[in-house]
Amino acid sequence: SSSADPSEGLAVLTAEQELWNSQILHIRACVESPFGLIKRKWKSLGEVFFEDHEQHDYLVRIAVAAHNYSLSRRAIEINAQ
């Protein structure tokens, strides 16, 4: 078992657990990075939202769609060169 007594400090991870943590860290960075870009571009998404949940969900979807459209247009321009 990898559980340790909290009074003993942190448990030593196995090589398999270290690999798992490394892979998850990479995946999280890949997923969270676009959301950070979207929040910086759409400032209102980073603030407290006082409208209903459905409207907020709609605005997030629009922001993600606009971000994806921008990326696809950029890719088309690069490939055309």
Side-chain angles (χ1 to χ4, degrees):
S1 170
S2 65
S3 62
D5 182 351
S7 64
E8 295 177 14
L10 298 176
V12 176
L13 299 178
T14 65
E16 183 179 359
Q17 290 169 323
E18 289 283 351
L19 177 62
W20 172 259
N21 284 349
S22 175
Q23 291 170 337
I24 291 298
L25 180 64
H26 175 73
I27 292 168
R28 280 188 66 185
C30 290
V31 170
E32 290 176 4
S33 179
F35 284 102
L37 292 171
I38 291 168
K39 279 178 63 176
R40 280 192 298 278
K41 189 169 191 167
W42 297 69
K43 303 277 188 214
S44 64
L45 296 178
E47 299 172 0
V48 176
F49 195 76
F50 295 104
E51 303 299 325
D52 63 39
H53 178 73
E54 189 174 303
Q55 186 176 6
H56 187 259
D57 184 53
Y58 178 75
L59 291 174
V60 170
R61 289 174 186 264
I62 292 294
V64 169
H67 176 76
N68 289 343
Y69 177 76
S70 174
L71 290 178
S72 66
R73 292 292 304 165
R74 203 171 310 146
I76 290 170
E77 291 170 3
I78 291 171
N79 289 332
Q81 294 177 358

